[in-house]
Amino acid sequence: MMVDKFSRMRSKEMMFQATLLTVASQLDDAQKTTKFAIAQLGSIRALTWNSKAGKAFLDNVEELSQRLEMLNGELNNAEEYLGVAMREIQNLEAQIMNQRLAS
């Protein structure tokens, strides 16, 4: 009975860990995509725009770049938060295991 309970708990733990790793991977992908977009917009900013429409476009590029920079900052914050959460979960799991083994 205790072994069955332990197996179910371990299975749930592994599913949760897999979910967290998937989220971490998606955050990493989003950061890479955001950085790529920022670099591409940077190359657009380097061009010379003489027309009124071109200058308006450049203003929009600048605004989008700033928003992407803010997004990238939020993605970094989320990645750090996820890392902290994963470590806390691992510590809690270790405590639970130690308590179960002790009893």
Side-chain angles (χ1 to χ4, degrees):
M1 176 87 163
M2 184 67 160
V3 173
D4 189 41
K5 199 175 192 181
F6 178 74
S7 294
R8 283 192 314 251
M9 186 178 95
R10 191 75 180 144
S11 176
K12 288 179 183 177
E13 172 188 326
M14 291 173 70
M15 288 180 359
F16 191 66
Q17 289 288 344
T19 300
L20 290 175
L21 290 174
T22 299
V23 170
S25 175
Q26 290 172 342
L27 278 172
D28 186 56
D29 289 345
Q31 285 177 313
K32 287 177 184 174
T33 301
T34 303
K35 288 177 183 177
F36 176 76
I38 291 168
Q40 294 302 305
L41 291 171
S43 65
I44 290 171
R45 281 196 306 253
L47 300 174
T48 302
W49 299 91
N50 295 323
S51 71
K52 198 174 194 180
K55 290 178 183 178
F57 177 71
L58 187 59
D59 289 342
N60 288 336
V61 165
E62 185 62 37
E63 182 182 347
L64 181 56
S65 292
Q66 290 172 357
R67 288 183 181 204
L68 287 172
E69 289 287 353
M70 290 184 338
L71 174 61
N72 198 43
E74 291 300 321
L75 290 170
N76 285 331
N77 291 342
E79 187 176 47
E80 289 175 18
Y81 181 78
L82 183 62
V84 169
M86 290 173 79
R87 285 188 296 279
E88 287 179 3
I89 289 169
Q90 288 172 347
N91 288 337
L92 288 171
E93 288 171 348
Q95 289 175 12
I96 291 168
M97 295 297 285
N98 289 337
Q99 290 175 359
R100 287 184 184 228
L101 292 174
S103 54

